[in-house]
């Protein structure tokens, strides 16, 4: 699929749109099961189980011709106005997106979308919050405003009532990147998942540029977690030879305070963050080298090979050997 074919794909009426165009009533894509009201909650919640069957991201065109009722979900959502305009209600505030603009929604934010007409093409990009891990966040540079938002979205202790609107109308490189990413998603080929992961880093980096150029947002989004981002970046580089005590001393924190800060901000303990980096490094070595698995386990800090096998299988759903066979590039 190229960009011209993508344009045709997005503008044609799918089955649900054809029905909604006639009835003007919202038709649930999963038989109504995705908008069930959980006991004790005020708004219907979309479960993750209906999405992410193609990996860490789910991309779809929002169905036109009927309003989407108010709902919440535990994943992060990026709404991209590919064409036309849309009107949303987010936590009681009215937000209007014009063509080329983007709205980033925190987890658990109640939101609804008014009826989209023929030329209104809204793209929903859903992301599991676990996907935006420390390794991803450290690639977002030194500007902490966007990383602050994403860290907040992952924190179980934070208030989840936030959203960001990006006035990215004239950001042509961002639009080209998003179109290329959609082509990979809607018409997957070899390494499409890797391409999408790479495109997402570019998308968020472009969004940082938009934030940096939008002076109206500078006071609204103070950099509250600049220190935390530096800590995560350091931990990514030194995960194999860094203890919590060493990390705290380097950044002038009390170890207990830093451990609690990491847990509160990322939802993971120091040990879990280290484990995450070790697993990512092990996967990289398995895919891009022919080194013995025992050597890789040792380099990643695992003295017990059986323990390494268990942790790797828990993380990737495959043994290290099977992972290497499926992902080897050398």
């Amino acid at each position: 699929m190229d960009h011209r074919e993508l344009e045709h794909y997005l503008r044609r009426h799918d089955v649900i749109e054809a029905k909604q165009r006639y009835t003007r009533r919202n038709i649930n894509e999963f038989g109504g099961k995705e908008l069930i009201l959980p006991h004790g909650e005020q708004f219907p919640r979309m479960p993750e189980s209906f999405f992410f069957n193609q990996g860490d991201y789910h991309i779809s065109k929002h169905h036109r011709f009927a309003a989407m009722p108010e709902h919440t979900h535990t994943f992060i959502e990026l709404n991209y106005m590919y064409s036309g305009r849309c009107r949303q209600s987010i936590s009681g505030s009215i937000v209007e997106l014009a063509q080329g603009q983007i709205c980033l929604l925190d987890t658990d934010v109640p939101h609804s979308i008014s009826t989209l007409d023929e030329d209104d093409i809204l793209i929903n990009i859903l992301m599991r919050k676990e996907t935006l891990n420390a390794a991803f966040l450290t690639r977002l540079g030194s500007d902490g405003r966007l990383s602050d938002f994403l860290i907040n979205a992952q924190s179980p202790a934070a208030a989840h009532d936030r959203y960001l609107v990006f006035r990215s109308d004239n950001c042509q490189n961002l639009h080209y990147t998003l179109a290329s990413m959609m082509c990979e998603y809607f018409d997957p080929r070899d390494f499409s998942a890797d391409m999408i992961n790479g495109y997402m880093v570019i998308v968020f980096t472009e969004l940082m540029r938009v934030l940096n150029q939008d002076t109206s947002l500078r006071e609204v989004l103070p950099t509250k977690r600049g220190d935390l981002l530096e800590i995560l970046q350091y931990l990514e580089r030194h995960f194999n030879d860094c203890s919590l005590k060493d990390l705290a001393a380097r950044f002038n924190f009390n170890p207990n305070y830093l451990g609690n800060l990491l847990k509160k901000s990322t939802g993971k303990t120091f040990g879990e963050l280290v484990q995450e980096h070790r697993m990512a490094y092990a996967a990289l070595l398995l895919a891009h080298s022919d080194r013995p698995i025992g050597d890789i386990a040792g380099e990643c800090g695992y003295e017990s090979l059986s323990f390494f096998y268990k942790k790797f299988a828990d993380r990737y759903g495959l043994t290290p050997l099977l992972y290497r066979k499926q992902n080897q590039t050398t």
Side-chain angles (χ1 to χ4, degrees):
M1 178 183 287
D2 57 26
H3 290 196
R4 179 183 54 82
E5 293 169 329
L6 175 68
E7 169 81 3
H8 176 74
Y9 174 81
L10 293 176
R11 292 194 179 277
R12 72 184 183 185
H13 295 169
D14 57 33
V15 174
I16 289 180
E17 286 180 326
K19 294 179 180 178
Q20 291 188 166
R21 191 182 185 197
Y22 176 74
T23 64
R24 293 288 168 169
R25 293 183 178 180
N26 178 70
I27 296 174
N28 295 324
E29 191 168 355
F30 300 97
K33 296 179 180 179
E34 73 270 34
L35 284 178
I36 292 177
L37 182 66
H39 178 71
E41 296 195 19
Q42 186 177 358
F43 303 103
R45 178 184 295 272
M46 285 189 172
E48 289 193 15
S49 57
F50 290 108
F51 310 98
F52 309 113
N53 60 334
Q54 286 185 231
D56 291 329
Y57 304 98
H58 176 86
I59 305 175
S60 62
K61 178 184 69 172
H62 189 85
H63 299 303
R64 293 166 287 180
F65 311 119
M68 180 69 180
E70 196 163 26
H71 62 281
T72 66
H73 41 65
T74 58
F75 42 82
I76 299 165
E77 181 173 356
L78 188 152
N79 288 334
Y80 169 52
M81 205 69 221
Y82 176 88
S83 173
R85 308 181 68 88
C86 84
R87 181 183 176 92
Q88 302 189 39
S89 173
I90 306 175
S91 290
S93 299
I94 301 300
V95 174
E96 295 190 2
L97 291 184
Q99 182 170 318
Q101 295 181 347
I102 285 173
C103 181
L104 183 62
L105 293 163
D106 196 352
T107 56
D108 296 312
V109 176
H111 59 286
S112 61
I113 301 176
S114 299
T115 301
L116 302 180
D117 293 324
E118 184 72 42
D119 293 329
D120 303 327
I121 308 295
L122 178 65
I123 305 301
N124 304 131
I125 302 175
L126 313 181
M127 298 161 275
R128 293 186 304 174
K129 58 184 180 182
E130 294 82 6
T131 303
L132 306 179
N133 53 25
F136 185 97
L137 292 172
T138 56
R139 285 161 175 77
L140 296 185
S142 58
D143 189 323
R145 287 171 293 178
L146 184 54
S147 58
D148 173 69
F149 181 94
L150 297 175
I151 289 171
N152 185 88
Q154 297 184 65
S155 173
H160 298 290
D161 55 356
R162 307 174 72 188
Y163 65 92
L164 286 177
V165 175
F166 298 86
R167 307 301 177 186
S168 48
D169 321 36
N170 299 317
C171 190
Q172 296 305 315
N173 191 50
L174 175 61
H175 306 323
Y176 186 90
T177 301
L178 284 163
S180 298
M181 183 172 68
M182 284 188 275
C183 289
E184 293 286 350
Y185 188 88
F186 295 132
D187 185 23
R189 297 170 288 167
D190 292 342
F191 309 112
S192 281
D194 295 322
M195 291 292 291
I196 291 169
N197 288 332
Y199 280 136
M200 284 305 303
V201 175
I202 297 174
V203 165
F204 278 107
T205 306
E206 288 286 353
L207 292 178
M208 282 198 308
R209 283 181 171 175
V210 175
L211 279 182
N212 194 51
Q213 294 166 4
D214 191 341
T215 56
S216 67
L217 288 174
R218 290 177 183 172
E219 293 183 1
V220 178
L221 293 168
T223 303
K224 294 186 276 187
R225 291 191 172 95
D227 287 343
L228 182 59
L229 186 59
E230 287 187 38
I231 291 169
L232 293 174
Q233 290 172 333
Y234 184 85
L235 184 57
E236 181 186 23
R237 295 191 298 268
H238 301 278
F239 63 89
N240 255 354
D241 57 2
C242 179
S243 67
L244 178 59
K245 183 178 179 180
D246 294 336
L247 189 64
R250 181 174 184 84
F251 289 93
N252 299 314
F253 282 100
N254 174 277
N256 289 335
Y257 176 84
L258 180 57
N260 291 333
L261 177 64
L262 290 172
K263 177 64 175 179
K264 181 179 179 180
S265 300
T266 69
K268 299 181 179 69
T269 65
F270 171 80
E272 289 169 338
L273 290 170
V274 169
Q275 186 100 300
E276 187 176 88
H277 287 304
R278 286 179 174 177
M279 287 290 104
Y281 186 51
L284 180 69
L285 292 178
L286 287 167
H288 299 284
S289 78
D290 57 0
R291 295 173 56 182
I293 293 176
D295 289 355
I296 292 175
E299 183 168 344
C300 293
Y302 294 95
E303 297 180 1
S304 168
L305 187 58
S306 61
F307 184 71
F308 170 70
Y309 265 76
K310 180 182 184 303
K311 289 297 181 181
F312 193 91
D314 289 344
R315 174 67 178 85
Y316 292 101
L318 297 169
T319 66
L321 183 59
L322 285 175
Y323 184 91
R324 166 170 276 173
K325 287 181 178 179
Q326 292 187 14
N327 295 275
Q328 186 99 51
T329 60
T330 59

